[in-house]
Amino acid sequence: MRKVPVESLGERIIVIVELVGTGKAEDPIRPKYAPVPPSSKQLQAAEMKLRTLSEEEREVEAKKTITAFGWVAGDDGKTAIVEFVANDRLAFAEMRKDPTVRVIEKQAIVEGRLSLEQAKSDLVKVKKDFDWSQLRVAGN
């Protein structure tokens, strides 16, 4: 039996986005669309909300959730290269519609429709010494 590499699990997308946040604990500097770790009060509120949802509604919410991400800041200190991981592509819908976000389809690389060199050519414009190992994300 062959094991699937953990970095291949889940839906994945690589994007170039701006950095957001004030730098405070409740609003850390992070890539746009990256989830902020919730406070204990927020966790409790989310658990309460989940209890009121039907099973179908919970499944939809889970599809909209980013489960992991890895990122590296761009050389300008204002942008980031990010790999987002989710259980479903629905989690990426908002960023796909955002005209300020540059999307590089990881699936296109996996399927050979986009070479690593082609994808990297966009990424080195943001971070000149970019290396793929900087985005290793375990996943969901």
Side-chain angles (χ1 to χ4, degrees):
M1 183 171 165
R2 298 174 107 192
K3 287 189 177 184
V4 175
V6 71
E7 54 273 350
S8 297
L9 297 175
E11 297 291 337
R12 291 167 182 266
I13 191 170
I14 298 169
V15 296
I16 299 170
V17 296
E18 66 183 331
L19 291 173
V20 297
T22 61
K24 296 181 180 181
E26 64 276 357
D27 187 27
I29 294 173
R30 66 199 179 279
K32 186 175 183 181
Y33 298 108
V36 176
S39 68
S40 58
K41 279 188 176 184
Q42 290 169 324
L43 279 174
Q44 289 174 343
E47 286 175 18
M48 293 290 284
K49 179 185 174 188
L50 281 176
R51 289 185 194 141
T52 65
L53 300 178
S54 69
E55 184 65 32
E56 188 175 294
E57 290 170 323
R58 275 186 246 143
E59 286 178 21
V60 170
E61 285 299 311
K63 286 181 178 183
K64 293 192 242 175
T65 303
I66 292 171
T67 56
F69 66 96
W71 66 285
V72 59
D75 292 334
D76 64 2
K78 298 176 184 176
T79 56
I81 300 169
V82 189
E83 181 176 5
F84 287 107
V85 182
N87 290 325
D88 193 283
R89 295 176 68 78
L90 185 59
F92 310 136
E94 189 177 341
M95 66 182 86
R96 287 178 183 282
K97 293 177 190 173
D98 186 336
T100 68
V101 174
R102 169 70 173 102
V103 175
I104 298 166
E105 294 290 341
K106 186 143 188 193
Q107 192 61 34
I109 297 168
V110 171
E111 293 172 356
R113 292 181 282 124
L114 180 66
S115 73
L116 283 173
E117 293 78 27
Q118 289 169 318
K120 190 172 180 178
S121 71
D122 279 346
L123 303 176
V124 295
K125 292 175 188 172
V126 176
K127 180 148 183 77
K128 69 178 181 204
D129 62 345
F130 175 77
D131 183 278
W132 288 104
S133 66
Q134 295 169 314
L135 290 182
R136 280 186 70 92
V137 181
N140 43 357

